[in-house]
Amino acid sequence: MKQALEEAKGKILRYYHDFINKCLEVHGIDLTTIISDCITAGYESRSGEIIELREKLDQKMRQKIEYVKLYDEAQEKLYKAGIEIRPIRENDHSRNS
């Protein structure tokens, strides 16, 4: 397993070594441009994934807002009906007695 890990590290180092050399070949020694372009390329290569994750997060937030709205409405109806609202605890067996 240790050998496989070392081989994987070697592959990664060779990949980035080649990548940096290509950047230097294209941009020269301007490290600001290299870093900027690399960040942009990394973002663009994952932009679909980032957009998908953002949409999922937005959907979860909309669901949470809807659940809170329904919870508040239920609490209001229970209050108007004169029913005491108590938090439910996991080990609350007094209700089953």
Side-chain angles (χ1 to χ4, degrees), residues 19-38:
F19 184 70
I20 290 169
N21 282 340
K22 184 66 175 173
C23 287
L24 287 170
E25 187 180 303
V26 172
H27 298 290
I29 306 294
D30 183 4
L31 292 178
T32 303
T33 303
I34 293 171
I35 293 168
S36 174
D37 286 0
C38 291

Side-chain angles (χ1 to χ4, degrees), residues 84-97:
E84 180 184 349
I85 303 168
R86 295 185 327 164
I88 299 173
R89 293 181 293 241
E90 278 187 43
N91 296 323
D92 187 0
H93 300 288
S94 63
R95 294 178 297 150
N96 297 333
S97 307

Side-chain angles (χ1 to χ4, degrees), residues 16-97:
Y16 282 108
H17 182 267
D18 293 345
F19 184 70
I20 290 169
N21 282 340
K22 184 66 175 173
C23 287
L24 287 170
E25 187 180 303
V26 172
H27 298 290
I29 306 294
D30 183 4
L31 292 178
T32 303
T33 303
I34 293 171
I35 293 168
S36 174
D37 286 0
C38 291
I39 291 171
T40 301
Y43 175 80
E44 287 175 353
S45 70
R46 299 188 71 193
S47 64
E49 180 183 351
I50 292 168
I51 291 169
E52 182 180 318
L53 290 171
R54 183 66 214 192
E55 288 171 353
K56 285 181 181 180
L57 178 62
D58 289 346
Q59 180 183 18
K60 295 286 184 189
M61 291 304 295
R62 285 191 300 272
Q63 287 175 343
K64 181 181 178 185
I65 290 168
E66 186 62 29
Y67 291 145
V68 168
K69 181 179 172 185
L70 290 171
Y71 179 78
D72 290 344
E73 289 174 2
Q75 273 192 318
E76 186 177 330
K77 287 178 183 178
L78 289 171
Y79 177 77
K80 286 179 180 178
I83 299 172
E84 180 184 349
I85 303 168
R86 295 185 327 164
I88 299 173
R89 293 181 293 241
E90 278 187 43
N91 296 323
D92 187 0
H93 300 288
S94 63
R95 294 178 297 150
N96 297 333
S97 307

